[in-house]
Amino acid sequence: MYRYDPKSLVADEFINHQEILDTLAYADQHKDDLALVDEILQKAEARKGLSHRDASVLLACEDPERLQRMYALAEQIKKDFYGNRIVIFAPLYLSNYCVNGCVYCPYHMKNKHIPRKKLTQEEVAKEVIALQDMGHKRLAIEAGEHPEMNPIEYILDCIHTIYSIKHKNGAIRRVNVNIAATTVENYRKLKEAGIGTYILFQETYHKESYLQLHPTGPKHDYNYHTEAMDRAMQGGIDDVGLGVLFGLELYRYEFAGLLMHAEHLEAVHGVGPHTISVPRIKHADDIDPSAFDNSISDEIFAKLCALIRIAVPYTGMIISTRESQSVREKVIPLGVSQISGASRTSVGGYAEEDRPHETEQFDVSDQRTLDEVVRWLMEMGYIPSFCTACYREGRTGDRFMSLCKAGQIQNCCHPNALMTLKEFLMDYASEETRAIGEKLIQAELNNIPKEKVRQICRDHLEKIEQGIRDFRF
Ligand code: SAM
């Protein structure tokens, strides 16, 4: 019998099954106790986050008036901490060779009819050029787990290739990495290769279900997988990205687990997760999402997003193209800080004229071009940002928090967003998008509080107009 201990390095202790069950029972018991709900909401209004217990009570509460307060608070926190900027990235699939048996993923080893593909360095270069030609500056690389086909050396080679390609005015300035759990030594190598965030989805925090959903392969080892972020941090990576694949298990269980994981990282390493992703299971070759009976409605999905924003205000939140335009419109205001755009989830998909489906990991709901996504964000009043400054300036780990606390976001992230948007408008945008963007930049310049910063930003914008690139605060 394991005891709950957020400071422990043993998965069963920091994600403690009994503690989650007790939390859910506590939430059920108190979900109609409106005095307690109000007290928790008041705590949340201090913007210092909430414990997994308190947040679970809010998740269970169905009182319409309180729900409105939760949404309003999430929107306010999002505005105060992240402003109207939305950072944009794209996934890049390197290889779909995989030795695991994940039952929700078409790359599982037993799937014999999906073609297997691994990009050569020449093909990586082609993909990167195609991504740069769209305007992307930030990638998340993805690969199946296969010690022989996709060893760490291969991943490192790919990172090196990606950073080395400079096509026209293009550049990939931040590579985030989503590969299977690995050793401290390998995490150190990734860190040395200059990666941004190390992303690893937990898929489910429910150990018993995890073992069934990952019946074979190294990913079957729940503890090794769950303790991966601790090893990543030991290896020197202090920006890590958590996530749950919603639909596999009960969402309330996952929500409590996710927050416990964040609390654990904070307790042990002094820094919480950099981002949280909220993917939902999608149709894919060999995968029927209706076979998983814990799927969540769009309403619950929105509630989860709002409560993540409230519970961990300093953690970025990511919504991928698994979600449709309309769902994205609904949840972005509730706390999302990053979205993917114009994604292709197949190996080698970007270099193809038409979207290939053969090796796709899942169906993409939002299939718009990057130009369309950028325009859409601006039409909703957001600033699409291609900024990658923080980690390049050494602002990783808890430093976003310090920036935020020092009130410097508007003097730093805001001008960076405007300058990177300007680059996009100059190099890649359609005429219509450019016209909207230029107007937006002029209006948003006024929202830089420091006169001096505003002036420097104006100068940089002029220089971008003249062809110089890559300014940052
Ligand atoms: N092999 C790595 C690992 O073990 O974490 C890389 C991750 S995989 C390329 C990216 C993520 O896609 C997975 O962690 C999983 O959550 C998600 N995924 C897998 N199948 C999916 C499906 N059918 N629908 C939506 N997301 C899926």
Side-chain angles (χ1 to χ4, degrees), residues 297-314:
S297 67
D298 291 350
E299 284 65 38
I300 294 292
F301 186 63
K303 192 174 178 186
L304 280 165
C305 292
L307 287 175
I308 289 173
R309 179 41 59 246
I310 290 173
V312 281
Y314 295 107

Side-chain angles (χ1 to χ4, degrees), residues 16 57 77 91 182 249:
N16 183 257
V57 173
I77 293 178
T182 185
E249 245 301 335

Side-chain angles (χ1 to χ4, degrees), residues 218-269:
K219 197 163 170 178
H220 179 71
D221 189 338
Y222 171 88
N223 285 51
Y224 190 72
H225 186 83
T226 311
E227 292 157 10
M229 294 315 192
D230 297 290
R231 292 194 302 281
M233 288 197 167
Q234 276 171 44
I237 297 175
D238 53 5
D239 280 350
V240 299
L242 305 182
V244 152
L245 185 55
F246 283 103
L248 298 178
E249 245 301 335
L250 294 174
Y251 69 89
R252 294 177 55 204
Y253 191 102
E254 305 292 24
F255 178 70
L258 193 55
L259 294 184
M260 283 163 80
H261 202 169
E263 287 162 14
H264 161 71
L265 295 175
E266 182 88 49
V268 175
H269 307 280

Side-chain angles (χ1 to χ4, degrees), residues 104 142-143 178 200-201 203 219 245 280 282 322 361:
Y104 48 81
E142 315 271 338
N178 184 359
L200 180 68
F201 298 160
E203 320 300 5
K219 197 163 170 178
L245 185 55
R280 290 194 280 186
K282 296 279 305 175
R322 289 177 184 84
Q361 196 192 18

Side-chain angles (χ1 to χ4, degrees), residues 112-370:
K112 295 292 178 211
H113 50 84
I114 193 169
R116 299 288 165 170
K117 203 170 163 190
K118 168 187 169 179
L119 298 181
T120 62
Q121 295 311 308
E122 289 71 36
E123 287 168 327
V124 172
K126 270 195 194 154
E127 290 288 277
V128 171
I129 288 171
L131 283 155
Q132 289 185 6
D133 279 346
M134 288 185 221
H136 278 294
K137 299 282 185 270
R138 176 191 287 248
L139 300 183
I141 55 174
E142 315 271 338
E145 177 165 15
H146 198 301
E148 278 152 39
M149 294 303 283
N150 316 329
I152 193 72
E153 291 72 25
Y154 170 69
I155 304 292
L156 296 171
D157 281 350
C158 292
I159 295 170
H160 180 73
T161 302
I162 294 168
Y163 278 135
S164 72
I165 307 282
K166 302 277 178 305
H167 179 67
K168 297 184 184 162
N169 278 338
I172 299 301
R173 300 175 181 153
R174 178 172 177 136
V175 178
N176 296 332
V177 174
N178 184 359
I179 59 163
T182 185
T183 59
V184 175
E185 196 190 328
N186 285 347
Y187 286 125
R188 193 162 289 125
K189 289 180 184 165
L190 289 171
K191 171 75 186 172
E192 283 161 7
I195 70 158
T197 312
Y198 172 66
I199 302 159
L200 180 68
F201 298 160
Q202 177 62 31
E203 320 300 5
T204 174
Y205 284 97
H206 192 289
K207 186 171 185 173
E208 217 181 294
S209 299
Y210 182 99
L211 296 175
Q212 286 168 10
L213 291 159
H214 306 92
T216 54
K219 197 163 170 178
H220 179 71
D221 189 338
Y222 171 88
N223 285 51
Y224 190 72
H225 186 83
T226 311
E227 292 157 10
M229 294 315 192
D230 297 290
R231 292 194 302 281
M233 288 197 167
Q234 276 171 44
I237 297 175
D238 53 5
D239 280 350
V240 299
L242 305 182
V244 152
L245 185 55
F246 283 103
L248 298 178
E249 245 301 335
L250 294 174
Y251 69 89
R252 294 177 55 204
Y253 191 102
E254 305 292 24
F255 178 70
L258 193 55
L259 294 184
M260 283 163 80
H261 202 169
E263 287 162 14
H264 161 71
L265 295 175
E266 182 88 49
V268 175
H269 307 280
V271 40
H274 184 65
T275 53
I276 288 181
S277 300
V278 286
R280 290 194 280 186
I281 300 185
K282 296 279 305 175
H283 170 267
D285 174 80
D286 208 33
I287 306 298
D288 172 8
S290 67
F292 301 89
D293 44 17
N294 290 302
S295 68
I296 52 173
S297 67
D298 291 350
E299 284 65 38
I300 294 292
F301 186 63
K303 192 174 178 186
L304 280 165
C305 292
L307 287 175
I308 289 173
R309 179 41 59 246
I310 290 173
V312 281
Y314 295 107
T315 298
M317 202 182 342
I318 301 180
I319 295 281
S320 76
T321 53
R322 289 177 184 84
E323 299 299 335
S324 65
Q325 175 181 339
S326 68
V327 169
R328 297 204 317 163
E329 279 171 15
K330 192 163 161 186
V331 296
I332 286 175
L334 297 175
V336 171
S337 55
Q338 277 189 44
I339 66 167
S340 46
S343 305
R344 291 193 174 178
T345 63
S346 47
V347 184
Y350 294 107
E352 304 274 330
E353 185 81 23
D354 296 318
R355 179 182 291 274
H357 294 290
E358 271 186 353
T359 60
E360 269 185 339
Q361 196 192 18
F362 52 81
D363 291 355
V364 167
S365 297
D366 186 341
Q367 301 201 357
R368 290 171 297 165
T369 64
L370 191 57

